[in-house]
Amino acid sequence: MLVAAALSLATLLGGCSRLHPKPPAQYVYVTAKQTFLRDRVAAVSNRTATVDNGDKLEVLEHGRRFVKVQTAKGEQGWIDEKAVATQEIFDQFEALKQQHQADPVVANAVVRDEVYMHSKPGRDTDRFYRLAEGEKLKLLARATLEKPLPPGTRVAKPAAPAPAATAKGAKPAPAASVPDVPPPPVMEDWWLVRDSKGDTGWLYSRMMDVDAPDALTRYAEGQRIVGAYILTTVNDPDAEQADKNIPIYVTVMSPYKAGLTYDFDQVRVFTWSVKKHRYETGFRDKNIEGYVPVTIKMAPDPYGKSATATTPLPTFTYRVLADDAGPVIPDPVTGAVVPGKTILKTYRLEGNYVHRILAPGTPTGGEAHPEPVSEKKKDAKAAAKHKKH
């Protein structure tokens, strides 16, 4: 009788366990550069393990502002919840990685200082992967957003114009009313980037520099190099460089100003003079509203009639805004800059000369021209000062 009762109780308990299965494991991910797990939440505690940025930790217990976790090696301890990201944040970055793994690379860049990737453009968005100074990046896309104002900031109103001078003894004219027009917002640029491990996220543009050789940056003339692309190489046996195969570059440049509705306003090709052993400007297209990516390939001239028309030569292509495209307005939510009608421009390098490839009868012109950037020199000096530090 007792045996039967025990068997019935065991069956009942087994059924309850099946009705209430073990909850799925929860995980968090380390956001700090490096931190420690501790055996207790107290002013005095012992370190039980060292964890690094990106490490996956299984959650064992939740406390007040701390989480008890276990590493992949089985080490256990408590960690501050501010030093970890949730599964939801990790999934956002994984989704970015999958969505943009086939995107064309716009340019290469280098991180200036240790900085976090964000899940979306903006300072207040979720962050996870921490990049080390000097990390190599692939730039994929640009976004531009309004810079958030500090709490309590008061927007200054435009000053009222001075009253006009009047004749002696006459009553002064009443001051003209000034419309309450706020000043233009301060903008900041963000780039979608991919690091050397393939992790993808958004990075504040001021925290990185486009990877361009010093031999080109000295010719930038106060502009920011947005991208530098190798067209071909020229052998110069008397060059000072150790590598005698000197790259020929196509560069695209823009003013040192955030919030522009175009990616670059100038294209320059730097050819190499074998006689003078230095770079020279072989081509310049300026006062344009251009958009990345710039495509580089070897191709013949399908419309040319010269002796080299059918010979594959270094060719580059980029897009510029058409003058009838209408205003380009960045998306206020995503910051994406999407132009309307654009014109495709293709050129190829023949020796040290650059020729445009045009179909017979194709009209030239019809391109939009950017407004002058008044603070270009000021912003360039600020950027150069920031780079020194």
Side-chain angles (χ1 to χ4, degrees), residues 88-104 118-121 140-141 192-194 198-202 334:
E88 180 183 3
I89 293 176
F90 176 81
D91 290 343
Q92 291 178 24
F93 282 87
E94 282 298 295
L96 273 178
K97 182 177 181 179
Q98 296 300 321
Q99 292 169 6
H100 299 282
Q101 61 183 349
D103 286 9
H118 289 247
S119 61
K120 298 177 182 178
L140 306 179
L192 182 64
V193 303
R194 182 188 303 132
D199 297 323
T200 304
W202 289 91
T334 65

Side-chain angles (χ1 to χ4, degrees), residues 31 82 84-94 96 115-130 190 200-204:
T31 58
K82 292 182 180 180
V84 295
T86 63
Q87 183 69 49
E88 180 183 3
I89 293 176
F90 176 81
D91 290 343
Q92 291 178 24
F93 282 87
E94 282 298 295
L96 273 178
V115 65
Y116 281 101
M117 283 185 181
H118 289 247
S119 61
K120 298 177 182 178
R123 303 188 183 200
D124 297 329
T125 57
D126 293 325
R127 61 184 193 174
F128 179 29
Y129 294 113
R130 187 181 178 95
W190 291 74
T200 304
W202 289 91
L203 198 65
Y204 182 36

Side-chain angles (χ1 to χ4, degrees), residues 204-215:
Y204 182 36
S205 65
R206 286 185 177 267
M207 299 308 297
M208 61 188 177
D209 293 302
V210 169
D211 194 6
D214 293 338

Side-chain angles (χ1 to χ4, degrees), residues 2-274:
L2 291 174
V3 174
L7 289 173
S8 299
L9 180 60
T11 302
L12 180 62
L13 292 175
C16 290
S17 65
R18 287 193 296 271
L19 292 174
H20 300 282
K22 183 180 178 181
Q26 291 184 331
Y27 296 95
V28 291
Y29 300 82
V30 180
T31 58
K33 178 182 179 182
Q34 187 180 78
T35 189
F36 305 98
L37 303 186
R38 302 181 182 274
D39 61 351
R40 63 176 67 89
V41 181
V44 179
S45 59
N46 299 313
R47 296 175 179 178
T48 60
T50 302
V51 290
D52 299 303
N53 181 250
D55 285 354
K56 182 179 181 179
L57 307 174
E58 183 178 357
V59 176
L60 303 178
E61 183 180 345
H62 288 276
R64 185 180 179 185
R65 298 188 297 107
F66 286 84
V67 185
K68 187 175 184 180
V69 296
Q70 178 173 290
T71 68
K73 299 178 181 178
E75 302 159 318
Q76 296 185 4
W78 292 87
I79 188 172
D80 193 326
E81 63 181 11
K82 292 182 180 180
V84 295
T86 63
Q87 183 69 49
E88 180 183 3
I89 293 176
F90 176 81
D91 290 343
Q92 291 178 24
F93 282 87
E94 282 298 295
L96 273 178
K97 182 177 181 179
Q98 296 300 321
Q99 292 169 6
H100 299 282
Q101 61 183 349
D103 286 9
V105 176
V106 168
N108 297 313
V110 182
V111 176
R112 286 184 180 175
D113 201 350
E114 292 186 350
V115 65
Y116 281 101
M117 283 185 181
H118 289 247
S119 61
K120 298 177 182 178
R123 303 188 183 200
D124 297 329
T125 57
D126 293 325
R127 61 184 193 174
F128 179 29
Y129 294 113
R130 187 181 178 95
L131 302 177
E133 180 181 358
E135 171 71 20
K136 301 289 187 179
L137 301 175
K138 304 292 186 184
L139 305 187
L140 306 179
R142 181 176 69 97
T144 184
L145 295 169
E146 289 188 26
K147 181 180 180 179
L149 295 176
T153 301
R154 302 179 68 178
V155 179
K157 294 183 179 180
T166 58
K168 187 176 180 180
K171 293 183 178 180
S177 60
V178 179
D180 191 6
V181 179
V186 178
M187 306 296 287
E188 58 184 23
D189 289 344
W190 291 74
W191 278 94
L192 182 64
V193 303
R194 182 188 303 132
D195 68 7
S196 58
K197 296 182 292 185
D199 297 323
T200 304
W202 289 91
L203 198 65
Y204 182 36
S205 65
R206 286 185 177 267
M207 299 308 297
M208 61 188 177
D209 293 302
V210 169
D211 194 6
D214 293 338
L216 297 187
T217 56
R218 70 183 66 171
Y219 295 111
E221 299 177 351
Q223 286 204 312
R224 176 197 292 120
I225 295 180
V226 177
Y229 315 93
I230 297 177
L231 260 180
T232 185
T233 58
V234 173
N235 185 265
D236 183 358
D238 297 324
E240 296 180 356
Q241 296 89 324
D243 187 353
K244 306 304 180 183
N245 293 315
I246 312 299
I248 305 300
Y249 285 95
V250 176
T251 62
V252 291
M253 305 177 184
S254 75
Y256 276 97
K257 186 175 181 63
L260 297 173
T261 57
Y262 51 87
D263 295 324
F264 56 88
D265 66 353
Q266 182 177 163
V267 180
R268 292 178 70 181
V269 175
F270 290 98
T271 57
W272 183 261
S273 172
V274 178

